[in-house]
Amino acid sequence: MRLLLVEDDDMIAETVLDHLRRADYAIDWAADGREAELSLGNGVYDLVLLDLGLPKRDGIDVLNSYRKAGGDAAVIILTARDAVDDRIRGLDAGADDYLMKPFDLDELSARVRALLRRRTGQKQTTYSHGELSLDPVSHEATKNGVPLPLVPREFALLQVLLEQPARVFRRAELEEKLYGWGEEIGSNTIEVHVHSLRRKIGADQIMTIRGVGYRLKSIV
């Protein structure tokens, strides 16, 4: 799951980014309304954390434009505006949830999890390929029905591969899906994740396409 934080306060942004990255979310940051519009135009986000009082363009205008353009990511508004009219405008513009500043980081995480579960449940309940199965809603992966003890990055990597089992993913694509902008990524980080995942699901389950990338093994 990839998130976008739209927030002009550096201190708040850094706190939220650190908290959600430690929870192993891939999250990017836009510091004003124009930058948010450019980022949202990529169509890669599952959830947006949106401040309203933004420089260059107001958050409500950003949200209105995003929804009118067909953007379907879940949106949580984060704002210090406490007027009922502002909350109503945000929800009417297409927000899914509302959280007042200052907010508790654990509550923010809980709301993110709830909306992502709802979004995932609307798309597809489970992914299966051969002996492997993954349920994004319950956050459980199994092999032949036996639960796999995956850490969050391994789970995310397996989900990416299971969503398109016949596709070969380049390392750069996997980095983009597993990490946010500005996160430090070692030159062999993806290789380490793949190696670790292979140890848990079986070395033969992930194929290396030399000079290209990785994919799940074909089912005969």
Side-chain angles (χ1 to χ4, degrees):
M1 295 293 179
R2 193 171 193 88
L3 281 56
L4 176 66
L5 171 65
V6 186
E7 171 62 62
D8 65 316
D9 186 306
D10 290 358
M11 185 175 296
I12 293 175
E14 289 170 4
T15 301
V16 172
L17 290 169
D18 179 66
H19 180 75
L20 292 176
R21 282 172 178 165
R22 282 190 285 108
D24 284 315
Y25 288 106
I27 180 168
D28 303 326
W29 174 28
D32 61 58
R34 295 297 184 194
E35 188 178 350
E37 288 182 318
L38 291 173
S39 300
L40 290 170
N42 295 327
V44 298
Y45 296 106
D46 300 287
L47 185 142
V48 181
L49 301 170
L50 178 65
D51 185 27
L52 294 186
L54 297 168
K56 299 188 179 180
R57 193 170 190 197
D58 186 76
I60 293 291
D61 294 335
V62 171
L63 180 55
N64 269 317
S65 296
Y66 177 62
R67 290 302 192 211
K68 287 178 181 178
D72 64 352
V75 175
I76 300 176
I77 287 179
L78 309 175
T79 185
R81 298 180 185 177
D82 58 359
V84 173
D85 287 348
D86 284 326
R87 295 200 293 273
I88 292 173
R89 286 178 63 221
L91 294 170
D92 284 345
D96 299 276
D97 201 355
Y98 215 105
L99 196 55
M100 294 295 301
K101 297 177 181 177
F103 49 81
D104 181 84
L105 290 171
D106 288 334
E107 181 181 0
L108 172 63
S109 294
R111 292 182 184 232
V112 167
R113 289 194 300 270
L115 281 177
L116 289 177
R117 281 197 302 269
R118 190 185 310 165
R119 175 183 171 85
T120 303
Q122 290 172 348
K123 285 186 169 182
Q124 181 171 342
T125 304
T126 61
Y127 298 96
S128 297
H129 183 74
E131 304 166 342
L132 300 172
S133 181
L134 181 146
D135 185 339
V137 177
S138 65
H139 207 271
E140 182 179 58
T142 62
K143 181 180 180 182
N144 291 323
V146 179
L148 295 164
L150 305 182
V151 299
R153 295 280 193 208
E154 294 166 353
F155 187 92
L157 174 58
L158 181 58
Q159 181 172 339
V160 170
L161 295 172
L162 282 170
E163 286 175 353
Q164 295 178 276
R167 179 181 172 186
V168 179
F169 287 89
R170 292 178 288 108
R171 186 177 72 179
E173 290 179 300
L174 294 175
E175 289 176 350
E176 182 177 325
K177 289 180 178 293
L178 298 182
Y179 291 89
W181 303 333
E183 287 191 83
E184 292 187 9
I185 306 173
S187 60
N188 67 336
T189 297
I190 295 300
E191 286 81 355
V192 170
H193 288 321
V194 170
H195 175 73
S196 179
L197 183 57
R198 278 173 169 156
R199 286 193 296 105
K200 295 180 180 180
I201 69 174
D204 64 328
Q205 295 291 331
I206 301 177
M207 300 174 59
T208 298
I209 309 302
R210 193 170 297 279
V212 184
Y214 303 97
R215 55 159 290 181
L216 291 179
K217 74 173 184 179
S218 300
I219 299 176
V220 179

